[in-house]
Every structure is written in C-alpha cells, then in structure tokens.
Amino acid sequence: MNNKGQLLIESLVAITVIVISILGIFTLVSRSLSLNRVVNDQYVGTYLAAEGIEVIKNIVDTNVLTHCEPWNQGVNTAGEYQVNYDTQLFGSQTLTQTNGPAQLNFDGTMYSHYSGGQPTKFYRSVTLDPITANHLKVVSLVQWETRGNANFETVLEDHFYNWRPTGINCQ
Amino acid sequence: MKKIQNQKGFTVAELLVAMAIFAVVISIASTIFIRSLRAQRAVVKLIEVNENTSITLERLAREIRTGTDFPSSGTYQDLTFTNARGEDVRYFLSENRIQETIYGQTLPLTAEGVYVDNLEFVIGATNQVPRVTILLQVGLPENTQDISEVKSQIQTTVSVRPLNN
C-alpha cells in the first residue's frame, strides 16, 4: 500500500526522458535548417570575394595587353579600395578608397557599391599592397552578419607579378 | 460479492483519463517526428542546391576563364563562346536548369530538384581584357513546403586569361 505512488513517479520519469530526447532531435533538425542559411551566405560571400580578386587581375592584364601601360598602373598605391564588377582603370580613372569594408547594394540583379539598390548584409573591401615594383599582394575581404548577430568573413589573398615586359605583343 | 469488489481493476474514468493522456502524448510526439522528417528532407535538398551551384559555377568559370570570342559588352541570358579546345560552348537556362551545349549536344548541368530562377552573363567593356560577371539566382521549387523562400543570389566575376597573346 505504501508504494502506490511509485507508479506515478516512474511514469513521470519515463515521460520526461522521452520528451527530452524528442526535443533534442527536433532542435537538431531545425537548427540544421537555420545553419543552412549560414552556409548559403558563405557561398555568396566567397563568390563576392573572388570577384574582388578577379577585377584586380583584369585591371593588371588590361594594363599590359590592351593599353600598353605599366602592369601595375592604377593599382600600385597601398590602401583599401571599393571595387565593383565593372571597375575599370583606363586613362585617368582611379580606384575609390574606402575606410573598412563598404556595404554592397543589390539592385535586383547585381551586387555593387553603386547607390540605388537595396542595401545587403555584405561588406567588401579590396586591399592592395605593392610589396615590390614587380609584386602586388591583393587581399579581398567580405564581411557579413547573420541572424543572431554572428559575424562572418571571407578573406581571399592573391599575388600578382609583373608577368610581361611592357609593350610586347600589345595591341 | 466481496471477492469481486476487492479485486483490483480500472474504473471507466481511470481508463478514459489514461487514454486521453496517451493520445495527447502520442500526437505531440508524432507531430514533432513528422516535422523533423520534413525538415531533414528540406536540409538534404538545400545541400543539393548548394553543391549543384558550386560545381556548376566552377565549370562555368573554368570554361569562361580559358575561353575566347565572347560577344560584345552587354547582358546575356544565353552565352556562346569558344572554349580552350576551340569548340563552341553555349550556356543558357531552360526549364529552370542550367544547360550546356557542347559538341552539338545539350545537357543540363544542374539537377532536377534545383530550381535556377535566373542566369545572366554581363560582359564588360570592349577596350579591356574580357570580363564576364555571372549572376545566378538559385533555390528550391516554389511548391516546396516551408523553405521555398530560401533563394541565394550569387554573383561572381571572371577575368578571361588571354592565353593567345
């Protein structure tokens, strides 16, 4: 007669254990859904960082091959710069300096630093570091914040060299 | 009579309460279980989207980087150029999948469950080494439960390596 209450306690313990384990599984799965958004952002951020490097590479190649200019014309000053997908350095055009990564806007199709688009969570800067007259170090940095205020960044680094004497095979 | 009364057993009320509690617990558990299953399926699909996007962009970027004969500057939804092996390659979007035409044969690059909303190529100015910006909007089909609004907008630029100069 005295151990009548034990059945209740036993079942309470059993239910608690079941509830905790089910909740654990549920949290795991729903967290993997939200983590997937984080992964998505990392993809976007990495491609945006790669774009910064490619644009500088394009400027270097264009200097040498298309304009018969010194290879590092316009990219030989150390500093942090804003670079867009269509940034060119013909003639007197120069890169826009920036103090820390600048916000990218999205105009419905493209990301850029041009005004008029919807501000995105992505910030980008391209740092040029001319190590010698024949060696340029480029660091492309993309930063963003996800929900929950976690900060993420992608840093890509590349080195470009004076790969061809000026004026050879120049069109 | 006394014997029967002393026997242990359930009353109807006890039985009803027990069944009600059981039903509630089971229904909560099964709801959570079904939702977890659904979320798991969604995660697998989203991973597939990411992997497809990354492998397709890799291929596009490689072919473009070593390609020649790009169209003049502008925005294209259908890009044709000559690749490093001297063959004509064409990339375009059809039935929400990225298609590649090479050797006169068209095959999709992205899987069936991956929903590409938009594919565009922006070719830069002509007085520079060719520069191609690839724009891609990718996600899951519109009718996917819960997560169809997760769309990634991807942009990257490829500078062509002028191999023949």
Side-chain angles (χ1 to χ4, degrees):
Chain A
M1 268 309 192
N2 272 344
N3 54 14
K4 235 189 172 181
Q6 273 202 349
L7 185 66
L8 187 65
I9 293 167
E10 275 167 13
S11 53
L12 273 179
V13 169
I15 289 174
T16 314
V17 169
I18 291 171
V19 164
I20 288 175
S21 57
I22 287 180
L23 275 184
I25 295 168
F26 187 58
T27 335
L28 185 80
V29 176
S30 63
R31 193 157 156 69
S32 67
L33 253 185
S34 62
L35 273 178
N36 199 277
R37 282 161 213 244
V38 174
V39 172
N40 270 340
D41 288 343
Q42 279 174 343
Y43 271 93
V44 177
T46 307
Y47 284 116
L48 285 173
E51 179 176 83
I53 297 275
E54 285 284 319
V55 168
I56 301 297
K57 168 71 178 160
N58 188 268
I59 288 170
V60 169
D61 284 355
T62 299
N63 276 338
V64 177
L65 293 170
T66 321
H67 291 269
C68 304
E69 301 278 4
W71 72 286
N72 57 359
Q73 170 98 18
V75 289
N76 51 5
T77 316
E80 218 172 341
Y81 297 93
Q82 273 186 30
V83 163
N84 283 317
Y85 66 94
D86 60 351
T87 297
Q88 311 158 350
L89 294 183
F90 310 141
S92 59
Q93 293 182 45
T94 51
L95 287 168
T96 316
Q97 284 230 332
T98 174
N99 191 15
Q103 191 165 28
L104 284 160
N105 297 321
F106 183 67
D107 69 355
T109 38
M110 301 189 88
Y111 293 95
S112 70
H113 294 294
Y114 300 127
S115 57
Q118 198 76 357
T120 65
K121 59 180 144 193
F122 295 100
Y123 291 73
R124 182 173 65 192
S125 76
V126 175
T127 307
L128 299 178
D129 182 7
I131 293 172
T132 67
N134 293 321
H135 180 188
L136 174 70
K137 176 184 162 195
V138 184
V139 176
S140 184
L141 167 69
V142 172
Q143 288 180 330
W144 67 95
E145 201 177 88
T146 49
R147 281 190 306 179
N149 299 329
N151 287 304
F152 287 89
E153 64 175 28
T154 300
V155 186
L156 294 185
E157 180 180 324
D158 211 335
H159 293 257
F160 297 130
Y161 297 89
N162 187 4
W163 62 285
R164 173 178 283 183
T166 316
I168 290 186
N169 256 342
C170 180
Q171 290 142 358
Chain B
M1 281 304 258
K2 255 190 179 175
K3 248 186 180 175
I4 293 170
Q5 268 185 346
N6 277 342
Q7 265 180 349
K8 283 186 180 175
F10 300 112
T11 63
V12 174
E14 273 172 348
L15 196 69
L16 278 177
V17 169
M19 277 170 69
I21 291 174
F22 181 77
V24 167
V25 167
I26 287 296
S27 63
I28 290 173
S30 59
T31 317
I32 289 177
F33 184 66
I34 289 168
R35 268 218 225 153
S36 306
L37 270 186
R38 214 187 280 163
Q40 155 73 12
R41 212 177 301 154
V43 167
V44 169
K45 278 183 187 169
L46 285 170
I47 290 172
E48 194 186 321
V49 167
N50 284 336
E51 283 182 348
N52 268 268
T53 311
S54 128
I55 208 161
T56 307
L57 264 176
E58 179 72 25
R59 186 183 180 102
L60 282 172
R62 270 172 190 241
E63 291 285 76
I64 290 173
R65 204 168 270 142
T66 53
T68 48
D69 300 333
F70 289 93
S72 54
S73 59
T75 304
Y76 297 86
Q77 289 180 325
D78 189 325
L79 182 73
T80 306
F81 59 94
T82 309
N83 73 6
R85 294 175 298 281
E87 283 131 14
D88 279 350
V89 200
R90 177 176 170 227
Y91 291 103
F92 62 102
L93 194 64
S94 172
E95 290 163 353
N96 296 107
R97 295 168 79 178
I98 299 174
Q99 315 274 337
E100 180 191 57
T101 306
I102 190 164
Y103 302 116
Q105 211 179 9
T106 302
L107 286 172
L109 291 179
T110 47
E112 216 163 326
V114 179
Y115 195 86
V116 183
D117 282 303
N118 191 33
L119 171 73
E120 274 181 61
F121 302 93
V122 179
I123 312 255
T126 42
N127 53 347
Q128 64 181 2
V129 169
R131 188 193 286 185
V132 182
T133 304
I134 308 167
L135 303 166
L136 198 63
Q137 195 187 52
V138 68
L140 289 170
E142 238 106 76
N143 54 8
T144 316
Q145 272 170 324
D146 309 325
I147 43 158
S148 58
E149 87 282 3
V150 187
K151 299 269 182 208
S152 322
Q153 182 71 47
I154 288 173
Q155 171 180 326
T156 196
T157 297
V158 176
S159 171
V160 175
R161 308 294 190 262
L163 300 173
N164 297 327
N165 276 290

